[in-house]
Amino acid sequence: QYRSVERDPDQYVIPVGRKSNGLLTQLLVSYRLDAQTVFLAGYSDNYSGTEQIDLTQTNRAVFVKLAYAWLF
């Protein structure tokens, strides 16, 4: 997901930049082992930038999850 915002700084009470942009990427993969068991893996990162600074990575996350339903 890409976002680009252009502003008129004269319209704001607080100082803001004339232009900002951001990029968000996410990936989710799931694999069902059987009817009660699923494996999930995911990745996400964010990029942010302004007129003076190109897109720079601001954070990154990676996760894995194994879910199993216990039957009693």
Side-chain angles (χ1 to χ4, degrees), residues 24-59:
L24 166 70
T25 58
Q26 296 178 332
L27 175 68
L28 177 64
V29 177
S30 66
Y31 179 71
R32 186 172 298 274
L33 300 171
D34 59 35
Q36 289 91 20
T37 306
V38 64
F39 174 77
L40 299 164
Y43 173 81
S44 173
D45 61 4
N46 294 315
Y47 293 84
S48 182
T50 63
E51 284 183 59
Q52 296 82 16
I53 302 172
D54 289 335
L55 285 176
T56 304
Q57 189 172 45
T58 56
N59 61 24

PDB file of all heavy atoms in Angstrom, residues 24-59:
ATOM      1  N   LEU A  24       3.645   0.544   2.840  1.00  0.00           N
ATOM      2  CA  LEU A  24       3.382  -0.530   3.783  1.00  0.00           C
ATOM      3  C   LEU A  24       3.278  -1.835   2.998  1.00  0.00           C
ATOM      4  O   LEU A  24       2.529  -1.912   2.020  1.00  0.00           O
ATOM      5  CB  LEU A  24       2.070  -0.270   4.523  1.00  0.00           C
ATOM      6  CG  LEU A  24       1.461  -1.427   5.303  1.00  0.00           C
ATOM      7  CD1 LEU A  24       2.315  -1.737   6.528  1.00  0.00           C
ATOM      8  CD2 LEU A  24       0.045  -1.115   5.718  1.00  0.00           C
ATOM      9  N   THR A  25       4.039  -2.843   3.403  1.00  0.00           N
ATOM     10  CA  THR A  25       3.931  -4.164   2.771  1.00  0.00           C
ATOM     11  C   THR A  25       3.662  -5.208   3.840  1.00  0.00           C
ATOM     12  O   THR A  25       4.189  -5.125   4.957  1.00  0.00           O
ATOM     13  CB  THR A  25       5.212  -4.540   2.002  1.00  0.00           C
ATOM     14  OG1 THR A  25       6.313  -4.527   2.897  1.00  0.00           O
ATOM     15  CG2 THR A  25       5.474  -3.577   0.869  1.00  0.00           C
ATOM     16  N   GLN A  26       2.818  -6.169   3.493  1.00  0.00           N
ATOM     17  CA  GLN A  26       2.490  -7.264   4.404  1.00  0.00           C
ATOM     18  C   GLN A  26       2.374  -8.556   3.608  1.00  0.00           C
ATOM     19  O   GLN A  26       1.909  -8.549   2.463  1.00  0.00           O
ATOM     20  CB  GLN A  26       1.175  -7.016   5.124  1.00  0.00           C
ATOM     21  CG  GLN A  26       1.195  -5.833   6.032  1.00  0.00           C
ATOM     22  CD  GLN A  26      -0.149  -5.588   6.689  1.00  0.00           C
ATOM     23  OE1 GLN A  26      -1.190  -5.920   6.152  1.00  0.00           O
ATOM     24  NE2 GLN A  26      -0.109  -5.000   7.869  1.00  0.00           N
ATOM     25  N   LEU A  27       2.762  -9.650   4.235  1.00  0.00           N
ATOM     26  CA  LEU A  27       2.662 -10.965   3.629  1.00  0.00           C
ATOM     27  C   LEU A  27       2.226 -11.947   4.710  1.00  0.00           C
ATOM     28  O   LEU A  27       2.800 -11.959   5.800  1.00  0.00           O
ATOM     29  CB  LEU A  27       4.007 -11.394   3.045  1.00  0.00           C
ATOM     30  CG  LEU A  27       4.093 -12.802   2.487  1.00  0.00           C
ATOM     31  CD1 LEU A  27       3.225 -12.921   1.235  1.00  0.00           C
ATOM     32  CD2 LEU A  27       5.520 -13.155   2.171  1.00  0.00           C
ATOM     33  N   LEU A  28       1.223 -12.751   4.423  1.00  0.00           N
ATOM     34  CA  LEU A  28       0.747 -13.764   5.363  1.00  0.00           C
ATOM     35  C   LEU A  28       0.610 -15.088   4.613  1.00  0.00           C
ATOM     36  O   LEU A  28      -0.027 -15.145   3.563  1.00  0.00           O
ATOM     37  CB  LEU A  28      -0.600 -13.379   5.971  1.00  0.00           C
ATOM     38  CG  LEU A  28      -1.237 -14.396   6.918  1.00  0.00           C
ATOM     39  CD1 LEU A  28      -0.367 -14.584   8.154  1.00  0.00           C
ATOM     40  CD2 LEU A  28      -2.627 -13.952   7.306  1.00  0.00           C
ATOM     41  N   VAL A  29       1.199 -16.139   5.165  1.00  0.00           N
ATOM     42  CA  VAL A  29       1.146 -17.469   4.570  1.00  0.00           C
ATOM     43  C   VAL A  29       0.586 -18.421   5.617  1.00  0.00           C
ATOM     44  O   VAL A  29       1.003 -18.385   6.781  1.00  0.00           O
ATOM     45  CB  VAL A  29       2.548 -17.945   4.130  1.00  0.00           C
ATOM     46  CG1 VAL A  29       2.501 -19.351   3.578  1.00  0.00           C
ATOM     47  CG2 VAL A  29       3.133 -16.983   3.116  1.00  0.00           C
ATOM     48  N   SER A  30      -0.365 -19.250   5.219  1.00  0.00           N
ATOM     49  CA  SER A  30      -0.904 -20.249   6.145  1.00  0.00           C
ATOM     50  C   SER A  30      -0.869 -21.621   5.480  1.00  0.00           C
ATOM     51  O   SER A  30      -0.996 -21.747   4.261  1.00  0.00           O
ATOM     52  CB  SER A  30      -2.337 -19.892   6.555  1.00  0.00           C
ATOM     53  OG  SER A  30      -3.206 -19.972   5.449  1.00  0.00           O
ATOM     54  N   TYR A  31      -0.692 -22.639   6.312  1.00  0.00           N
ATOM     55  CA  TYR A  31      -0.662 -24.018   5.837  1.00  0.00           C
ATOM     56  C   TYR A  31      -1.426 -24.870   6.845  1.00  0.00           C
ATOM     57  O   TYR A  31      -1.080 -24.905   8.021  1.00  0.00           O
ATOM     58  CB  TYR A  31       0.781 -24.511   5.697  1.00  0.00           C
ATOM     59  CG  TYR A  31       0.870 -25.935   5.236  1.00  0.00           C
ATOM     60  CD1 TYR A  31       0.535 -26.278   3.928  1.00  0.00           C
ATOM     61  CD2 TYR A  31       1.265 -26.947   6.099  1.00  0.00           C
ATOM     62  CE1 TYR A  31       0.603 -27.588   3.495  1.00  0.00           C
ATOM     63  CE2 TYR A  31       1.332 -28.256   5.678  1.00  0.00           C
ATOM     64  CZ  TYR A  31       1.003 -28.570   4.375  1.00  0.00           C
ATOM     65  OH  TYR A  31       1.071 -29.861   3.956  1.00  0.00           O
ATOM     66  N   ARG A  32      -2.472 -25.518   6.377  1.00  0.00           N
ATOM     67  CA  ARG A  32      -3.281 -26.365   7.251  1.00  0.00           C
ATOM     68  C   ARG A  32      -2.705 -27.793   7.197  1.00  0.00           C
ATOM     69  O   ARG A  32      -2.737 -28.442   6.152  1.00  0.00           O
ATOM     70  CB  ARG A  32      -4.741 -26.361   6.798  1.00  0.00           C
ATOM     71  CG  ARG A  32      -5.655 -27.101   7.755  1.00  0.00           C
ATOM     72  CD  ARG A  32      -7.100 -26.908   7.387  1.00  0.00           C
ATOM     73  NE  ARG A  32      -7.521 -25.522   7.460  1.00  0.00           N
ATOM     74  CZ  ARG A  32      -7.951 -24.919   8.567  1.00  0.00           C
ATOM     75  NH1 ARG A  32      -8.014 -25.586   9.693  1.00  0.00           N
ATOM     76  NH2 ARG A  32      -8.319 -23.666   8.547  1.00  0.00           N
ATOM     77  N   LEU A  33      -2.183 -28.249   8.347  1.00  0.00           N
ATOM     78  CA  LEU A  33      -1.588 -29.580   8.421  1.00  0.00           C
ATOM     79  C   LEU A  33      -2.667 -30.663   8.451  1.00  0.00           C
ATOM     80  O   LEU A  33      -2.534 -31.700   7.825  1.00  0.00           O
ATOM     81  CB  LEU A  33      -0.694 -29.688   9.648  1.00  0.00           C
ATOM     82  CG  LEU A  33       0.472 -28.688   9.689  1.00  0.00           C
ATOM     83  CD1 LEU A  33       1.166 -28.730  11.025  1.00  0.00           C
ATOM     84  CD2 LEU A  33       1.435 -28.977   8.576  1.00  0.00           C
ATOM     85  N   ASP A  34      -3.713 -30.438   9.230  1.00  0.00           N
ATOM     86  CA  ASP A  34      -4.888 -31.317   9.262  1.00  0.00           C
ATOM     87  C   ASP A  34      -6.080 -30.473   9.707  1.00  0.00           C
ATOM     88  O   ASP A  34      -5.984 -29.252   9.747  1.00  0.00           O
ATOM     89  CB  ASP A  34      -4.674 -32.546  10.157  1.00  0.00           C
ATOM     90  CG  ASP A  34      -4.349 -32.208  11.594  1.00  0.00           C
ATOM     91  OD1 ASP A  34      -4.892 -31.201  12.103  1.00  0.00           O
ATOM     92  OD2 ASP A  34      -3.567 -32.924  12.220  1.00  0.00           O
ATOM     93  N   ALA A  35      -7.203 -31.102  10.060  1.00  0.00           N
ATOM     94  CA  ALA A  35      -8.419 -30.346  10.366  1.00  0.00           C
ATOM     95  C   ALA A  35      -8.272 -29.431  11.585  1.00  0.00           C
ATOM     96  O   ALA A  35      -8.935 -28.399  11.663  1.00  0.00           O
ATOM     97  CB  ALA A  35      -9.580 -31.302  10.582  1.00  0.00           C
ATOM     98  N   GLN A  36      -7.405 -29.769  12.560  1.00  0.00           N
ATOM     99  CA  GLN A  36      -7.262 -28.964  13.768  1.00  0.00           C
ATOM    100  C   GLN A  36      -5.933 -28.234  13.893  1.00  0.00           C
ATOM    101  O   GLN A  36      -5.702 -27.533  14.865  1.00  0.00           O
ATOM    102  CB  GLN A  36      -7.426 -29.844  15.023  1.00  0.00           C
ATOM    103  CG  GLN A  36      -8.821 -30.329  15.268  1.00  0.00           C
ATOM    104  CD  GLN A  36      -9.070 -31.673  14.620  1.00  0.00           C
ATOM    105  OE1 GLN A  36      -8.137 -32.400  14.314  1.00  0.00           O
ATOM    106  NE2 GLN A  36     -10.317 -31.998  14.394  1.00  0.00           N
ATOM    107  N   THR A  37      -5.040 -28.379  12.954  1.00  0.00           N
ATOM    108  CA  THR A  37      -3.712 -27.798  13.088  1.00  0.00           C
ATOM    109  C   THR A  37      -3.409 -26.882  11.907  1.00  0.00           C
ATOM    110  O   THR A  37      -3.584 -27.274  10.762  1.00  0.00           O
ATOM    111  CB  THR A  37      -2.641 -28.903  13.164  1.00  0.00           C
ATOM    112  OG1 THR A  37      -2.993 -29.812  14.203  1.00  0.00           O
ATOM    113  CG2 THR A  37      -1.276 -28.327  13.446  1.00  0.00           C
ATOM    114  N   VAL A  38      -2.955 -25.667  12.209  1.00  0.00           N
ATOM    115  CA  VAL A  38      -2.594 -24.723  11.162  1.00  0.00           C
ATOM    116  C   VAL A  38      -1.278 -24.034  11.529  1.00  0.00           C
ATOM    117  O   VAL A  38      -1.006 -23.765  12.703  1.00  0.00           O
ATOM    118  CB  VAL A  38      -3.719 -23.679  10.915  1.00  0.00           C
ATOM    119  CG1 VAL A  38      -3.931 -22.821  12.138  1.00  0.00           C
ATOM    120  CG2 VAL A  38      -3.429 -22.839   9.700  1.00  0.00           C
ATOM    121  N   PHE A  39      -0.463 -23.782  10.520  1.00  0.00           N
ATOM    122  CA  PHE A  39       0.807 -23.074  10.678  1.00  0.00           C
ATOM    123  C   PHE A  39       0.680 -21.744   9.944  1.00  0.00           C
ATOM    124  O   PHE A  39       0.263 -21.698   8.784  1.00  0.00           O
ATOM    125  CB  PHE A  39       1.955 -23.904  10.088  1.00  0.00           C
ATOM    126  CG  PHE A  39       3.258 -23.184  10.079  1.00  0.00           C
ATOM    127  CD1 PHE A  39       4.000 -23.055  11.240  1.00  0.00           C
ATOM    128  CD2 PHE A  39       3.749 -22.628   8.909  1.00  0.00           C
ATOM    129  CE1 PHE A  39       5.207 -22.382  11.239  1.00  0.00           C
ATOM    130  CE2 PHE A  39       4.950 -21.952   8.895  1.00  0.00           C
ATOM    131  CZ  PHE A  39       5.682 -21.830  10.057  1.00  0.00           C
ATOM    132  N   LEU A  40       1.022 -20.644  10.612  1.00  0.00           N
ATOM    133  CA  LEU A  40       0.963 -19.307  10.030  1.00  0.00           C
ATOM    134  C   LEU A  40       2.337 -18.649  10.104  1.00  0.00           C
ATOM    135  O   LEU A  40       3.056 -18.800  11.097  1.00  0.00           O
ATOM    136  CB  LEU A  40      -0.031 -18.425  10.782  1.00  0.00           C
ATOM    137  CG  LEU A  40      -1.481 -18.883  10.806  1.00  0.00           C
ATOM    138  CD1 LEU A  40      -2.242 -18.151  11.895  1.00  0.00           C
ATOM    139  CD2 LEU A  40      -2.110 -18.635   9.473  1.00  0.00           C
ATOM    140  N   ALA A  41       2.692 -17.909   9.072  1.00  0.00           N
ATOM    141  CA  ALA A  41       3.925 -17.126   9.062  1.00  0.00           C
ATOM    142  C   ALA A  41       3.610 -15.793   8.391  1.00  0.00           C
ATOM    143  O   ALA A  41       2.859 -15.746   7.407  1.00  0.00           O
ATOM    144  CB  ALA A  41       5.032 -17.852   8.314  1.00  0.00           C
ATOM    145  N   GLY A  42       4.173 -14.711   8.924  1.00  0.00           N
ATOM    146  CA  GLY A  42       3.883 -13.401   8.365  1.00  0.00           C
ATOM    147  C   GLY A  42       5.057 -12.457   8.437  1.00  0.00           C
ATOM    148  O   GLY A  42       5.989 -12.642   9.219  1.00  0.00           O
ATOM    149  N   TYR A  43       4.985 -11.425   7.590  1.00  0.00           N
ATOM    150  CA  TYR A  43       6.026 -10.403   7.515  1.00  0.00           C
ATOM    151  C   TYR A  43       5.351  -9.061   7.232  1.00  0.00           C
ATOM    152  O   TYR A  43       4.388  -8.987   6.459  1.00  0.00           O
ATOM    153  CB  TYR A  43       7.010 -10.734   6.395  1.00  0.00           C
ATOM    154  CG  TYR A  43       8.026  -9.653   6.140  1.00  0.00           C
ATOM    155  CD1 TYR A  43       9.153  -9.548   6.940  1.00  0.00           C
ATOM    156  CD2 TYR A  43       7.854  -8.737   5.123  1.00  0.00           C
ATOM    157  CE1 TYR A  43      10.087  -8.549   6.722  1.00  0.00           C
ATOM    158  CE2 TYR A  43       8.781  -7.733   4.891  1.00  0.00           C
ATOM    159  CZ  TYR A  43       9.898  -7.651   5.694  1.00  0.00           C
ATOM    160  OH  TYR A  43      10.812  -6.663   5.475  1.00  0.00           O
ATOM    161  N   SER A  44       5.837  -7.997   7.845  1.00  0.00           N
ATOM    162  CA  SER A  44       5.302  -6.661   7.621  1.00  0.00           C
ATOM    163  C   SER A  44       6.432  -5.650   7.769  1.00  0.00           C
ATOM    164  O   SER A  44       7.303  -5.805   8.630  1.00  0.00           O
ATOM    165  CB  SER A  44       4.201  -6.356   8.645  1.00  0.00           C
ATOM    166  OG  SER A  44       3.782  -5.023   8.540  1.00  0.00           O
ATOM    167  N   ASP A  45       6.427  -4.620   6.913  1.00  0.00           N
ATOM    168  CA  ASP A  45       7.369  -3.528   7.101  1.00  0.00           C
ATOM    169  C   ASP A  45       6.735  -2.217   6.640  1.00  0.00           C
ATOM    170  O   ASP A  45       5.805  -2.201   5.843  1.00  0.00           O
ATOM    171  CB  ASP A  45       8.715  -3.770   6.424  1.00  0.00           C
ATOM    172  CG  ASP A  45       8.624  -3.929   4.926  1.00  0.00           C
ATOM    173  OD1 ASP A  45       7.528  -3.787   4.366  1.00  0.00           O
ATOM    174  OD2 ASP A  45       9.663  -4.185   4.304  1.00  0.00           O
ATOM    175  N   ASN A  46       7.242  -1.117   7.196  1.00  0.00           N
ATOM    176  CA  ASN A  46       6.744   0.222   6.899  1.00  0.00           C
ATOM    177  C   ASN A  46       7.907   1.110   6.473  1.00  0.00           C
ATOM    178  O   ASN A  46       9.001   1.034   7.044  1.00  0.00           O
ATOM    179  CB  ASN A  46       6.079   0.855   8.128  1.00  0.00           C
ATOM    180  CG  ASN A  46       4.826   0.133   8.521  1.00  0.00           C
ATOM    181  OD1 ASN A  46       3.999  -0.193   7.683  1.00  0.00           O
ATOM    182  ND2 ASN A  46       4.674  -0.121   9.807  1.00  0.00           N
ATOM    183  N   TYR A  47       7.627   1.956   5.494  1.00  0.00           N
ATOM    184  CA  TYR A  47       8.595   2.938   5.030  1.00  0.00           C
ATOM    185  C   TYR A  47       7.934   4.310   5.087  1.00  0.00           C
ATOM    186  O   TYR A  47       6.742   4.443   4.823  1.00  0.00           O
ATOM    187  CB  TYR A  47       9.038   2.646   3.597  1.00  0.00           C
ATOM    188  CG  TYR A  47       9.833   1.390   3.452  1.00  0.00           C
ATOM    189  CD1 TYR A  47       9.214   0.159   3.325  1.00  0.00           C
ATOM    190  CD2 TYR A  47      11.218   1.432   3.443  1.00  0.00           C
ATOM    191  CE1 TYR A  47       9.942  -1.001   3.187  1.00  0.00           C
ATOM    192  CE2 TYR A  47      11.964   0.273   3.306  1.00  0.00           C
ATOM    193  CZ  TYR A  47      11.327  -0.934   3.175  1.00  0.00           C
ATOM    194  OH  TYR A  47      12.047  -2.086   3.048  1.00  0.00           O
ATOM    195  N   SER A  48       8.712   5.337   5.422  1.00  0.00           N
ATOM    196  CA  SER A  48       8.187   6.693   5.514  1.00  0.00           C
ATOM    197  C   SER A  48       9.195   7.654   4.888  1.00  0.00           C
ATOM    198  O   SER A  48      10.405   7.412   4.942  1.00  0.00           O
ATOM    199  CB  SER A  48       7.964   7.051   6.985  1.00  0.00           C
ATOM    200  OG  SER A  48       7.414   8.325   7.091  1.00  0.00           O
ATOM    201  N   GLY A  49       8.687   8.748   4.309  1.00  0.00           N
ATOM    202  CA  GLY A  49       9.584   9.715   3.689  1.00  0.00           C
ATOM    203  C   GLY A  49       8.953  11.096   3.612  1.00  0.00           C
ATOM    204  O   GLY A  49       7.755  11.262   3.803  1.00  0.00           O
ATOM    205  N   THR A  50       9.794  12.093   3.321  1.00  0.00           N
ATOM    206  CA  THR A  50       9.355  13.477   3.150  1.00  0.00           C
ATOM    207  C   THR A  50      10.023  14.029   1.900  1.00  0.00           C
ATOM    208  O   THR A  50      10.679  13.306   1.160  1.00  0.00           O
ATOM    209  CB  THR A  50       9.741  14.342   4.366  1.00  0.00           C
ATOM    210  OG1 THR A  50      11.170  14.377   4.473  1.00  0.00           O
ATOM    211  CG2 THR A  50       9.150  13.816   5.648  1.00  0.00           C
ATOM    212  N   GLU A  51       9.878  15.341   1.699  1.00  0.00           N
ATOM    213  CA  GLU A  51      10.546  15.981   0.561  1.00  0.00           C
ATOM    214  C   GLU A  51      12.068  15.848   0.661  1.00  0.00           C
ATOM    215  O   GLU A  51      12.742  15.612  -0.335  1.00  0.00           O
ATOM    216  CB  GLU A  51      10.203  17.467   0.510  1.00  0.00           C
ATOM    217  CG  GLU A  51       8.837  17.771  -0.009  1.00  0.00           C
ATOM    218  CD  GLU A  51       8.619  19.266  -0.086  1.00  0.00           C
ATOM    219  OE1 GLU A  51       9.382  19.947  -0.797  1.00  0.00           O
ATOM    220  OE2 GLU A  51       7.686  19.739   0.577  1.00  0.00           O
ATOM    221  N   GLN A  52      12.596  16.009   1.866  1.00  0.00           N
ATOM    222  CA  GLN A  52      14.040  16.007   2.056  1.00  0.00           C
ATOM    223  C   GLN A  52      14.614  14.592   2.201  1.00  0.00           C
ATOM    224  O   GLN A  52      15.774  14.364   1.897  1.00  0.00           O
ATOM    225  CB  GLN A  52      14.424  16.811   3.305  1.00  0.00           C
ATOM    226  CG  GLN A  52      14.110  18.278   3.244  1.00  0.00           C
ATOM    227  CD  GLN A  52      12.658  18.581   3.589  1.00  0.00           C
ATOM    228  OE1 GLN A  52      11.963  17.750   4.147  1.00  0.00           O
ATOM    229  NE2 GLN A  52      12.204  19.764   3.230  1.00  0.00           N
ATOM    230  N   ILE A  53      13.806  13.638   2.698  1.00  0.00           N
ATOM    231  CA  ILE A  53      14.292  12.284   2.975  1.00  0.00           C
ATOM    232  C   ILE A  53      13.502  11.294   2.134  1.00  0.00           C
ATOM    233  O   ILE A  53      12.274  11.285   2.158  1.00  0.00           O
ATOM    234  CB  ILE A  53      14.121  11.949   4.471  1.00  0.00           C
ATOM    235  CG1 ILE A  53      14.862  12.957   5.330  1.00  0.00           C
ATOM    236  CG2 ILE A  53      14.606  10.532   4.757  1.00  0.00           C
ATOM    237  CD1 ILE A  53      14.594  12.824   6.816  1.00  0.00           C
ATOM    238  N   ASP A  54      14.204  10.449   1.375  1.00  0.00           N
ATOM    239  CA  ASP A  54      13.541   9.408   0.599  1.00  0.00           C
ATOM    240  C   ASP A  54      12.912   8.384   1.531  1.00  0.00           C
ATOM    241  O   ASP A  54      13.128   8.413   2.742  1.00  0.00           O
ATOM    242  CB  ASP A  54      14.544   8.711  -0.319  1.00  0.00           C
ATOM    243  CG  ASP A  54      14.987   9.609  -1.466  1.00  0.00           C
ATOM    244  OD1 ASP A  54      14.227  10.526  -1.824  1.00  0.00           O
ATOM    245  OD2 ASP A  54      16.086   9.378  -1.997  1.00  0.00           O
ATOM    246  N   LEU A  55      12.165   7.452   0.963  1.00  0.00           N
ATOM    247  CA  LEU A  55      11.547   6.402   1.779  1.00  0.00           C
ATOM    248  C   LEU A  55      12.607   5.676   2.596  1.00  0.00           C
ATOM    249  O   LEU A  55      13.598   5.190   2.062  1.00  0.00           O
ATOM    250  CB  LEU A  55      10.810   5.403   0.890  1.00  0.00           C
ATOM    251  CG  LEU A  55       9.481   5.867   0.321  1.00  0.00           C
ATOM    252  CD1 LEU A  55       8.921   4.814  -0.619  1.00  0.00           C
ATOM    253  CD2 LEU A  55       8.491   6.178   1.408  1.00  0.00           C
ATOM    254  N   THR A  56      12.388   5.627   3.898  1.00  0.00           N
ATOM    255  CA  THR A  56      13.302   4.977   4.835  1.00  0.00           C
ATOM    256  C   THR A  56      12.495   4.008   5.686  1.00  0.00           C
ATOM    257  O   THR A  56      11.409   4.337   6.161  1.00  0.00           O
ATOM    258  CB  THR A  56      13.967   6.028   5.745  1.00  0.00           C
ATOM    259  OG1 THR A  56      14.619   7.003   4.938  1.00  0.00           O
ATOM    260  CG2 THR A  56      14.974   5.383   6.670  1.00  0.00           C
ATOM    261  N   GLN A  57      13.030   2.823   5.896  1.00  0.00           N
ATOM    262  CA  GLN A  57      12.307   1.823   6.687  1.00  0.00           C
ATOM    263  C   GLN A  57      12.192   2.277   8.132  1.00  0.00           C
ATOM    264  O   GLN A  57      13.177   2.651   8.765  1.00  0.00           O
ATOM    265  CB  GLN A  57      13.016   0.485   6.622  1.00  0.00           C
ATOM    266  CG  GLN A  57      12.215  -0.635   7.240  1.00  0.00           C
ATOM    267  CD  GLN A  57      12.856  -1.983   7.000  1.00  0.00           C
ATOM    268  OE1 GLN A  57      14.049  -2.133   7.151  1.00  0.00           O
ATOM    269  NE2 GLN A  57      12.051  -2.944   6.633  1.00  0.00           N
ATOM    270  N   THR A  58      10.941   2.269   8.657  1.00  0.00           N
ATOM    271  CA  THR A  58      10.714   2.706  10.032  1.00  0.00           C
ATOM    272  C   THR A  58      10.529   1.531  10.989  1.00  0.00           C
ATOM    273  O   THR A  58      10.843   1.648  12.173  1.00  0.00           O
ATOM    274  CB  THR A  58       9.490   3.625  10.126  1.00  0.00           C
ATOM    275  OG1 THR A  58       8.360   2.948   9.583  1.00  0.00           O
ATOM    276  CG2 THR A  58       9.723   4.912   9.358  1.00  0.00           C
ATOM    277  N   ASN A  59       9.981   0.418  10.522  1.00  0.00           N
ATOM    278  CA  ASN A  59       9.891  -0.773  11.369  1.00  0.00           C
ATOM    279  C   ASN A  59       9.669  -2.017  10.523  1.00  0.00           C
ATOM    280  O   ASN A  59       9.349  -1.939   9.339  1.00  0.00           O
ATOM    281  CB  ASN A  59       8.801  -0.637  12.440  1.00  0.00           C
ATOM    282  CG  ASN A  59       7.429  -0.449  11.855  1.00  0.00           C
ATOM    283  OD1 ASN A  59       7.154  -0.825  10.736  1.00  0.00           O
ATOM    284  ND2 ASN A  59       6.549   0.152  12.620  1.00  0.00           N
TER     285      ASN A  59
END
